[in-house]
Amino acid sequence: RLIIEQDLHASLDGLFRWFDPVPVAAASIAQVHRAVLPDGREAMVKVQRPNIDKIIERDISILRGIAELMETHVRELHPYNVPGIVDEFARTINRELDFFIEGSNAQRLKKNFETSDELLIPEIYGELSSRRVLVMERIEGIRIDDVDEIARRGHDRKEITRKGAAAYFKIVFQDGLFHADPHPGNIFVLADGRIGLVDFGIMGRVTEENMEYFANVLL
């Protein structure tokens, strides 16, 4: 509550018609709450944990120290460039801490699929978002790994698979902007048969050169 009110410069009651204080999802950096906007739109509110940036900074410092020790004393690990792995992790997770970047990623991906009948990207409510708070359209669905419930709701699992593959082929071979955290908690089957994607904190890009390499591999 404190982070939302500090970042958005208003009381929680003024920002939302209804806000569920119990998170529906939680991870290391943030947790997600259901809410209803004053105009009646249903939303999900992703809010960072208090002081998570300082905790991550401390942990990365510890990792760097361990990596330097390994680089000095464990010759067998030299080919793997352990300090470089820590640096790459630090770059990625620090980008995750900026929800403006995540919101921008989601908006770009949504634009790429605005006419798609395969993939739905939630709308980002930028006027209600900040570096530590991200408010987006609520999408409801079945987790992609709950195959029994998907079948029980009458969805064709082969068709769901085709849609997922088609969406990822478009992402990798046409748009070059891909969702880099596709675990089952981020992918849902919606009531209309489309696939819903959430959590855009880790995204990647594919160069045209790599698109060609990947296509040649498939061929």
Side-chain angles (χ1 to χ4, degrees):
R1 174 188 287 266
L2 183 62
I3 288 174
I4 292 170
E5 293 182 342
Q6 280 180 344
D7 278 28
L8 303 184
H9 310 293
S11 69
L12 203 66
D13 293 339
L15 292 164
F16 304 103
R17 181 187 296 180
W18 174 80
F19 186 92
D20 188 350
V22 180
V24 294
S28 54
I29 289 177
Q31 58 192 43
V32 179
H33 297 259
R34 288 191 176 96
V36 177
L37 302 184
D39 61 7
R41 288 176 295 176
E42 295 186 337
M44 303 298 277
V45 182
K46 184 175 180 178
V47 56
Q48 284 186 20
R49 298 186 178 281
N51 301 313
I52 189 63
D53 54 342
K54 294 182 177 63
I55 294 169
I56 287 173
E57 184 180 359
R58 180 200 63 197
D59 289 352
I60 289 172
S61 177
I62 293 168
L63 284 173
R64 282 202 172 103
I66 294 170
E68 288 170 7
L69 287 171
M70 294 169 73
E71 184 78 359
T72 303
H73 299 290
V74 187
R75 291 183 176 277
E76 293 83 356
L77 292 177
H78 283 185
Y80 301 103
N81 186 14
V82 177
I85 293 171
V86 174
D87 288 341
E88 184 174 355
F89 172 72
R91 283 194 300 272
T92 300
I93 202 164
N94 279 312
R95 285 179 64 83
E96 279 193 83
L97 288 171
D98 189 341
F99 286 173
F100 282 127
I101 294 175
E102 179 171 350
S104 176
N105 288 337
Q107 288 172 328
R108 286 201 296 270
L109 199 58
K110 183 175 182 63
K111 186 175 181 179
N112 291 342
F113 282 89
E114 58 189 355
T115 60
S116 172
D117 61 355
E118 295 160 347
L119 193 67
L120 175 67
I121 309 298
E123 182 180 349
I124 301 297
Y125 303 133
E127 71 281 4
L128 288 172
S129 298
S130 70
R131 189 177 185 277
R132 299 186 296 173
V133 180
L134 186 64
V135 182
M136 69 190 79
E137 172 189 6
R138 187 194 306 177
I139 61 174
E140 299 283 354
I142 309 162
R143 274 178 56 126
I144 195 72
D145 59 347
D146 191 351
V147 292
D148 292 337
E149 183 64 13
I150 288 170
R152 194 182 71 80
R153 296 284 184 92
H155 296 293
D156 183 335
R157 288 182 294 179
K158 287 185 178 180
E159 179 62 11
I160 297 296
T161 304
R162 185 201 64 78
K163 288 179 178 179
Y168 251 84
F169 280 170
K170 172 175 162 52
I171 285 170
V172 173
F173 294 111
Q174 183 173 328
D175 303 329
L177 177 70
F178 66 92
H179 188 293
D181 193 19
H183 64 76
N186 288 340
I187 310 172
F188 299 90
V189 177
L190 309 182
D192 63 3
R194 286 183 295 174
I195 295 173
L197 204 55
V198 299
D199 193 347
F200 309 94
I202 307 177
M203 301 282 287
R205 289 192 176 276
V206 184
T207 65
E208 289 190 14
E209 184 180 27
N210 280 336
M211 287 184 196
E212 190 171 340
Y213 288 150
F214 295 156
N216 286 332
V217 167
L218 285 179
L219 290 173

